[in-house]
Amino acid sequence: MGERSMDKRIAGGMVGQGKRTRTKAAMPPLERGQDRPLTPLEKRYIRLQSRIASLENWVLAAFSLLILVTGLVMVWAVIYEALRRGPEAWVIPFVLLFLGVGVLGALLLKGFLSRRCRPEQSAHSLDGVLKEEIFHSVHPKTGARSKHYRYKIGDVTMIWPPGARAIYQPFVDQHIQLTVVYVNKTKPVQWFGEKSALFESSRDAVVLAFKDLINIQGLLTRYGSNYFERYFLKQSAMGAVIFASILGALYYVFLGQDFYQFEGKEIGLAILGIIIGLAVIFGLASVAIKYAVGVLKLKIDLKSHEEKLKG
């Protein structure tokens, strides 16, 4: 009797261990036409992506409110100036112009505030040709041009993991298959047409798995459920350290000096020297870390973000 009950406990423990292993294992990409329930870690990742989209939405709404307020203030300023100086012909065009700015801001604000994103509760297989859309924007003051990218399969916009562009960009114009979660949008912003960077698809797809290159379940299982929060924090910290290092070095070089006594060539050479010097310092630090891992056997994970995305 005792041996039989002990055998049952051992068998039960093995079954429980097997269940835990299957739960933690990286989820393989779905076959065409298949779907499956989301794992708890995948649900957490979807919530993170939803928070990012919500934050972007509120930023755009705030920008729209700024446009609205600017238009109304300028209308008031033009009317006030006309009342002070007396009515003139130039008043009407400017009032109409700034009223148009205010109306545009109101429409944008209404659109962004009424937009809702609702992720589905299951993962689906999506296959098709990956298309890349490139948009150019020009800074109104500096004239600097910047590029913005959007990736779509059919009429569905893809939401890839942060920092994964080097993985999926080589597959542009190729037929690919993914495991995704669809995010349905109510009242997407589509006033400006598909050629606009502000145009939104009525459905997005959050990528969960792609070939053996991306596996969100495996990544979060191996590196922790808060991996992407730590990734964002690390990226921000690295940017802050580099910026502070350059700023501190510039301050040290010109400390106690009359900045205006330097010629443009000297300032340029000083800045270039600082950048090169900091690059050498960071390079030596990287070599030292690799030496510590290889020779001193310190447990430091040197895998790149792209490697970790494989799960």
Side-chain angles (χ1 to χ4, degrees):
M1 185 69 179
E3 292 179 358
R4 189 179 299 121
S5 61
M6 181 175 293
D7 291 340
K8 288 182 179 180
R9 286 198 299 270
I10 294 174
M14 292 178 66
V15 171
Q17 185 178 3
K19 288 182 179 179
R20 287 193 296 271
T21 303
R22 285 196 296 271
T23 301
K24 292 183 179 181
M27 303 297 291
L30 292 173
E31 297 296 329
R32 185 174 184 178
Q34 289 184 336
D35 59 8
R36 62 167 173 79
L38 296 173
T39 68
L41 288 176
E42 289 174 336
K43 290 180 179 179
R44 191 181 191 282
Y45 174 69
I46 298 299
R47 287 196 296 270
L48 173 63
Q49 291 286 18
S50 298
R51 287 199 298 270
I52 295 174
S54 177
L55 178 60
E56 292 175 350
N57 197 47
W58 281 108
V59 169
L60 291 172
F63 180 71
S64 303
L65 179 62
L66 178 63
I67 294 176
L68 170 62
V69 172
T70 300
L72 297 179
V73 168
M74 292 305 297
V75 168
W76 175 84
V78 170
I79 294 175
Y80 175 80
E81 189 68 15
L83 292 175
R84 191 172 68 87
R85 293 189 176 187
E88 296 183 19
W90 60 267
V91 173
I92 296 177
F94 275 96
V95 169
L96 293 176
L97 172 64
F98 292 123
L99 272 177
V101 172
V103 169
L104 174 62
L107 290 174
L108 288 172
L109 181 63
K110 181 178 182 297
F112 288 126
L113 290 180
S114 62
R115 184 179 64 167
R116 294 292 182 272
C117 300
R118 293 185 174 87
E120 297 184 359
Q121 297 303 309
S122 57
H124 302 269
S125 173
L126 172 64
D127 65 288
V129 178
L130 181 65
K131 292 294 183 181
E132 179 184 69
E133 297 178 354
I134 303 176
F135 305 93
H136 297 272
S137 62
V138 181
H139 194 282
K141 291 185 178 180
T142 62
R145 294 176 61 88
S146 58
K147 284 185 179 181
H148 305 275
Y149 299 88
R150 183 164 61 208
Y151 295 87
K152 301 177 71 174
I153 293 180
D155 59 350
V156 180
T157 300
M158 313 307 300
I159 301 178
W160 297 90
R165 186 168 181 268
I167 294 176
Y168 59 80
Q169 206 279 333
F171 292 91
V172 169
D173 295 328
Q174 296 184 29
H175 191 281
I176 61 174
Q177 184 173 337
L178 307 158
T179 300
V180 303
V181 173
Y182 289 118
V183 179
N184 300 308
K185 295 181 180 179
T186 57
K187 298 182 180 180
V189 178
Q190 297 181 340
W191 312 316
F192 304 99
E194 294 187 20
K195 300 300 182 182
S196 169
L198 294 177
F199 179 86
E200 289 187 317
S201 303
S202 58
R203 173 182 270 193
D204 292 345
V206 180
V207 177
L208 296 179
F210 172 48
K211 292 182 176 291
D212 58 348
L213 302 175
I214 295 175
N215 198 308
I216 297 301
Q217 171 68 19
L219 168 71
L220 298 181
T221 300
R222 178 170 296 183
Y223 298 102
S225 60
N226 62 346
Y227 171 81
F228 284 104
E229 287 88 339
R230 289 184 281 112
Y231 171 77
F232 287 127
L233 181 61
K234 184 173 70 173
Q235 294 295 107
S236 301
M238 288 178 60
V241 168
I242 292 174
F243 177 77
S245 300
I246 294 175
L247 194 64
L250 287 173
Y251 180 76
Y252 177 79
V253 169
F254 298 111
L255 181 64
Q257 304 289 335
D258 185 359
F259 184 80
Y260 297 100
Q261 74 179 358
F262 293 95
E263 296 181 359
K265 184 186 297 184
E266 294 174 337
I267 296 174
L269 289 175
I271 294 175
L272 179 62
I274 289 171
I275 294 175
I276 293 175
L278 289 174
V280 171
I281 292 173
F282 286 124
L284 291 175
S286 176
V287 172
I289 292 174
K290 291 180 179 179
Y291 174 82
V293 172
V295 178
L296 303 181
K297 305 299 181 182
L298 296 183
K299 294 183 178 180
I300 302 176
D301 191 352
L302 295 180
K303 285 185 179 179
S304 66
H305 177 61
E306 289 81 4
E307 284 293 321
K308 293 178 180 178
L309 283 172
K310 295 179 180 179

